[in-house]
Amino acid sequence: MLLRPFCDILPSEITPPEIYRERRLFMQGMGVLAAGAALGIAPDAQAETRLAGVRSSAYTLNEEKTPYKAITTYNNFYEFGTGKSDPADKAGSLKTRPWTVKVEGKVSKPGEYDIDSLMKLAPLEERVYRMRCVEGWSMVIPWVGFPLSELIRRVAPTGNAKYVEFVTLNDPGQMPGQRSGVLDWPYVEGLRMDEAMHPLAILVVGLYGQVLPNQNGAPVRLVVPWKYGFKSAKSIARIRFVEKQPLTAWMRAAPREYGFYSNVNPHVDHPRWSQAKERRIGEFLKRDTLMFNGYGAQVAQLYRGMDLQKFF
Ligand SMILES: Nc1nc2c(c(=O)[nH]1)N[C@H]1C(S)=C(S)[C@@H](COP(=O)(O)O)O[C@H]1N2
Ligand SMILES: [Mo]
């Protein structure tokens, strides 16, 4: 069974934060958490970056989580360079406050959302999701966020809104990778409206119970677990509701290689490599890649009747 109700209760949910913090400092003193942090399994215990009031969610996997260290040091975020360690090395200086997300296009309530109010728009949930990069590696990540549908409901799209476009911050001063021509900046991604409304599609503001590190797309990024990782746009500055299918940054760069849908599909190879298998970061042997990244029971109906070879 893929999706099971989340059974482990986080200590933060049953203990008031002050007491929790004390207890953690106590355990730290005993070397308990210090050892976990040194191994990079859990983040370093810093009460200041811990997100408060994070609930559990039924949309969560019961699978071994990728260590915090790997999730935050092996990244794709081309705005900071194309090397896997570039984002961790260079994104630290990205200014994530103040930050506004502009919501525009075919909506009844367009506007600018301050990130701190956006984070309070809906209860924060922890969701452990499997993530699959188009390059052939995967991770299991405990994200913190809320359904994208919560934002969409509030801004009330009009009847003409058929797609949602996500645009990353465009600031070459802060994002050195944008001074190079690897992609046509800013980074743009998109979803069909019904995909965007799917309960598995989330806006993410944290991981491992902590504020999202810059290299993972702070202050807010998209996460769409049944699609290849590049659909999950980082550091979002604009969300646009549009009538026509957006031209994404990757479609613009290599239309033969990257389609709009980009659903994880072991039967449709990338023109330059197979997508049948993947390496879970931290493991030696490859695993079979699952249709829709294992979320088929939840999302296959979105694509009923579509030729997935054609709409890759
Ligand atoms: N703005 C932006 N978003 C991005 C990318 C990027 O280069 N720029 N890379 C994508 C790719 S290819 C992947 S696999 C995921 C990686 O997310 P993670 O580093 O949090 O694991 O982010 C995606 N979102
Ligand atoms: Mo990726």
Side-chain angles (χ1 to χ4, degrees):
M1 211 206 295
L2 179 65
L3 289 165
R4 281 202 218 137
F6 186 65
C7 298
D8 310 294
I9 296 170
L10 295 170
S12 56
E13 289 175 84
I14 48 171
T15 318
E18 326 77 67
I19 298 172
Y20 175 59
R21 185 178 175 185
E22 298 247 302
R23 185 193 293 166
R24 188 169 46 202
L25 290 173
F26 172 68
M27 290 197 299
Q28 226 177 346
M30 301 184 69
V32 178
L33 272 177
L39 289 169
I41 293 160
D44 295 331
Q46 283 173 342
E48 314 81 65
T49 56
R50 188 163 182 94
L51 290 164
V54 178
R55 302 181 176 181
S56 59
S57 164
Y59 290 100
T60 213
L61 280 182
N62 197 352
E63 239 171 75
E64 196 183 330
K65 288 176 277 206
T66 302
Y68 181 81
K69 186 82 193 242
I71 297 172
T72 56
T73 57
Y74 190 86
N75 303 99
N76 275 339
F77 198 170
Y78 279 16
E79 283 83 342
F80 295 97
T82 54
K84 291 287 179 278
S85 54
D86 287 339
D89 291 343
K90 297 177 188 166
S93 56
L94 175 70
K95 255 192 92 198
T96 60
R97 292 293 185 290
W99 186 282
T100 51
V101 177
K102 291 198 178 73
V103 178
E104 48 194 24
K106 308 208 175 297
V107 284
S108 312
K109 297 177 197 154
E112 295 196 3
Y113 282 79
D114 173 71
I115 185 62
D116 293 307
S117 31
L118 186 72
M119 285 177 70
K120 289 179 201 127
L121 192 125
L124 295 181
E125 297 174 15
E126 172 164 279
R127 296 189 175 201
V128 179
Y129 279 177
R130 186 184 297 121
M131 304 299 291
R132 168 65 155 79
C133 177
V134 74
E135 294 164 350
W137 49 269
S138 63
M139 298 192 191
V140 176
I141 305 184
W143 298 117
V144 176
F146 58 82
L148 173 62
S149 64
E150 295 278 354
L151 173 70
I152 297 179
R153 274 197 309 111
R154 280 173 176 75
V155 302
T158 67
N160 297 331
K162 306 282 191 245
Y163 296 88
V164 194
E165 189 176 291
F166 303 87
V167 186
T168 295
L169 179 71
N170 192 15
D171 184 354
Q174 287 202 80
M175 295 177 143
Q178 288 182 337
R179 291 174 232 150
S180 86
V182 256
L183 286 173
D184 192 359
W185 310 106
Y187 196 93
V188 173
E189 260 308 336
L191 296 172
R192 213 171 56 191
M193 187 61 79
D194 58 344
E195 298 178 314
M197 287 298 292
H198 193 283
L200 283 169
I202 55 175
L203 285 174
V204 160
V205 298
L207 65 82
Y208 267 105
Q210 307 270 338
V211 169
L212 194 64
N214 290 355
Q215 59 267 40
N216 295 92
V220 60
R221 57 97 54 91
L222 180 68
V223 166
V224 194
W226 70 95
K227 292 175 180 282
Y228 291 115
F230 64 84
K231 296 296 287 182
S232 297
K234 294 178 168 180
S235 304
I236 295 169
R238 285 162 193 273
I239 300 179
R240 236 183 242 138
F241 291 77
V242 295
E243 189 154 10
K244 298 214 174 76
Q245 183 179 287
L247 180 60
T248 70
W250 283 106
M251 291 167 79
R252 202 188 273 262
R256 243 176 37 83
E257 302 190 6
Y258 305 104
F260 179 75
Y261 286 93
S262 297
N263 292 313
V264 174
N265 189 338
H267 314 299
V268 177
D269 289 337
H270 186 279
R272 290 185 280 134
W273 59 83
S274 163
Q275 293 292 23
K277 289 186 177 287
E278 69 196 54
R279 190 178 315 284
R280 178 71 48 89
I281 295 299
E283 292 181 355
F284 179 66
L285 293 174
K286 286 191 176 179
R287 302 172 169 240
D288 289 336
T289 285
L290 304 172
M291 187 64 205
F292 297 116
N293 205 23
Y295 296 96
Q298 287 78 32
V299 304
Q301 96 280 350
L302 293 171
Y303 309 104
R304 197 178 297 139
M306 277 175 70
D307 178 350
L308 298 180
Q309 302 276 338
K310 187 171 168 215
F311 297 101
F312 60 93

